[in-house]
Amino acid sequence: MESKILELIQNLTNINSPSGNAYNAISYVKQKVEHLGYSTQLTNKGALIITVEGEDNERQRCITAHVDTLGAMVKEIKEDGRLTIDLIGGFKYNAIEGEYCQIETDSGETYTGTICLHETSVHVYRENEKIPRDIEHMEVRIDEKTSSKKETEDLGIEVGNFISFDPRTEITSSGFIKSRHLDDKASVAMILDLLERIKNEQIKLPHTIQFYISNNEEIGYGANASISNKIVEFIAFDMGALGEGQSSDEYTVSICAKDASGPYHKELKTHLVNLCKFNHIPYKIDIYPYYTSDASAALKAGADIKHGLFGAGIESSHALERTHIDSIHAAQNLLYAYCLSSIN
């Protein structure tokens, strides 16, 4: 079981899927769940919905996780053939300095490159540590023989092409998973593992669940549409934010009490905590100060739901992320217990 969830995480993180171009990741999940025998629905904006029937079809749940990730777009082709980039998602340029990347053209060609500070060489630029890491100074150095705007354009690269970052996924012997985009591909992997368990063990859920794999969460509107009006509880199965002043860690499941959008539903949060206590699942309750989720996006869109959020604790979110298999197991166990619990 452990090797399977780790394989799923590694497979997903290695699929390029920045917000706006998550088609391949959605296709991967769709193929996996259809192979298990589930029917799927693609929304107009490209999200994937897997509905699992339960005993109660009138009071339903939605559990969402997202395959879209941070990324970038070509903003400008410079006169020396390099690329100015514009960011997709909430992060800063310093989080990707020195990172390997791929540029995908509209015809499907891909080129590799490196995201550099223009003034990188210390043998040429003095005090370059003082130079801002911003759109004016950061660029992509393409791994092709190109030294002019025309030569780069001749490759088929143009403004608006998507740029994806090398995830650099590694699994250590001590149980750590290091990778970009664990937010939120670790959660999607856990949902895939759960769906296989439901099918293999012929589990009958107490309530119908709409598993919603969203493709625009990082830009604020992943799962706020195409939601059944029968849904009364909505869970964002996403990452727990770690750092100074936070109680969450890499070894427990993190339950969100409040984020930048405001408090999460008190009764639903209490239900999640009680499930952890009853099932001896290690957990932490936390507040994420600079964070919003697809659950809060659904509320803003007008959904009449109880909303909650929990997931594995992810260190260094929106950069080179890390979690531990203990946190994955805790999040899996809470997800399973929640799906088998009854709505109050």
Side-chain angles (χ1 to χ4, degrees):
M1 291 294 289
E2 185 170 300
S3 61
K4 182 176 292 184
I5 190 67
L6 293 175
E7 181 183 358
L8 285 169
I9 292 172
Q10 192 151 30
N11 289 345
L12 281 163
T13 55
N14 280 301
I15 300 172
N16 292 337
S17 56
S19 299
N21 193 24
Y23 300 99
N24 289 339
I26 289 288
S27 178
Y28 174 86
V29 176
K30 184 174 185 290
Q31 183 179 17
K32 283 284 187 183
V33 297
E34 288 181 350
H35 180 74
L36 291 171
Y38 293 101
S39 59
T40 63
Q41 173 194 346
L42 282 172
T43 69
N44 287 329
K45 65 182 179 183
L48 181 70
I49 298 174
I50 308 110
T51 301
V52 182
E53 296 292 333
E55 294 177 358
D56 184 350
N57 195 44
E58 293 305 310
R59 295 185 303 158
Q60 300 183 8
R61 287 172 163 145
C62 180
I63 299 175
T64 182
H66 64 94
V67 291
D68 66 304
T69 70
L70 307 176
M73 264 188 179
V74 176
K75 172 66 172 63
E76 178 189 0
I77 302 174
K78 303 170 79 171
E79 291 304 320
D80 63 0
R82 296 192 178 190
L83 308 175
T84 298
I85 63 175
D86 196 28
L87 304 182
I88 298 173
F91 66 111
K92 304 299 181 184
Y93 285 92
N94 66 288
I96 55 171
E97 183 175 0
E99 190 59 271
Y100 294 161
C101 65
Q102 288 189 343
I103 307 103
E104 182 181 338
T105 70
D106 286 347
S107 63
E109 293 287 332
T110 58
Y111 297 96
T112 62
T114 304
I115 299 169
C116 305
L117 179 71
H118 178 78
E119 304 88 350
T120 290
S121 176
V122 296
H123 297 98
V124 178
Y125 303 99
R126 296 189 64 182
E127 298 184 324
N128 64 352
E129 75 279 3
K130 298 180 180 179
I131 296 170
R133 273 55 177 173
D134 58 21
I135 194 170
E136 295 181 14
H137 296 274
M138 299 296 289
E139 62 187 17
V140 174
R141 180 185 68 200
I142 309 168
D143 299 328
E144 298 291 331
K145 288 185 175 181
T146 172
S147 57
S148 71
K149 181 176 181 179
K150 183 180 185 307
E151 287 177 335
T152 296
E153 289 175 337
D154 287 345
L155 295 172
I157 295 173
E158 58 188 356
V159 172
N161 288 163
F162 284 92
I163 299 172
S164 301
F165 313 139
D166 185 346
R168 292 202 273 165
T169 307
E170 289 186 21
I171 298 165
T172 73
S173 59
S174 53
F176 287 100
I177 304 109
K178 305 192 298 182
S179 180
R180 290 191 185 275
H181 315 319
L182 293 176
D183 170 21
D184 188 32
K185 289 183 174 180
S187 298
V188 176
M190 287 185 267
I191 286 176
L192 287 174
D193 187 70
L194 173 68
L195 289 171
E196 183 172 0
R197 182 177 182 181
I198 289 171
K199 182 64 65 173
N200 290 343
E201 297 180 11
Q202 299 181 326
I203 296 168
K204 186 66 173 179
L205 300 174
H207 300 274
T208 294
I209 299 179
Q210 191 177 88
F211 291 93
Y212 195 124
I213 310 301
S214 71
N215 60 333
N216 286 299
E217 194 274 349
E218 293 292 1
I219 52 177
Y221 58 92
N224 62 348
S226 306
I227 301 168
S228 168
N229 58 13
K230 294 182 178 181
I231 288 171
V232 296
E233 289 185 354
F234 188 111
I235 292 290
F237 190 40
D238 211 323
M239 50 151 271
L242 278 57
E244 188 172 350
Q246 300 298 104
S247 65
S248 298
D249 56 38
E250 297 173 86
Y251 314 108
T252 60
V253 61
S254 179
I255 300 172
C256 183
K258 176 184 178 294
D259 66 11
S261 68
Y264 280 71
H265 195 276
K266 181 178 181 294
E267 291 178 359
L268 184 51
K269 184 211 72 176
T270 301
H271 178 58
L272 296 172
V273 170
N274 287 338
L275 286 172
C276 287
K277 291 178 178 178
F278 182 81
N279 292 283
H280 307 289
I281 301 168
Y283 73 95
K284 296 289 177 64
I285 303 172
D286 221 336
I287 291 173
Y288 313 149
Y290 310 113
Y291 186 123
T292 59
S293 73
D294 271 345
S296 49
L299 280 181
K300 289 178 181 177
D304 183 17
I305 51 172
K306 299 178 181 179
H307 70 312
L309 166 60
F310 68 90
I314 304 294
E315 167 64 27
S316 299
S317 60
H318 284 196
L320 291 169
E321 298 169 343
R322 192 183 77 166
T323 191
H324 193 272
I325 192 63
D326 289 351
S327 189
I328 296 292
H329 287 329
Q332 282 182 296
N333 290 337
L334 179 53
L335 179 66
Y336 180 76
Y338 172 70
C339 290
L340 267 65
S341 68
S342 296
I343 296 175
N344 294 329

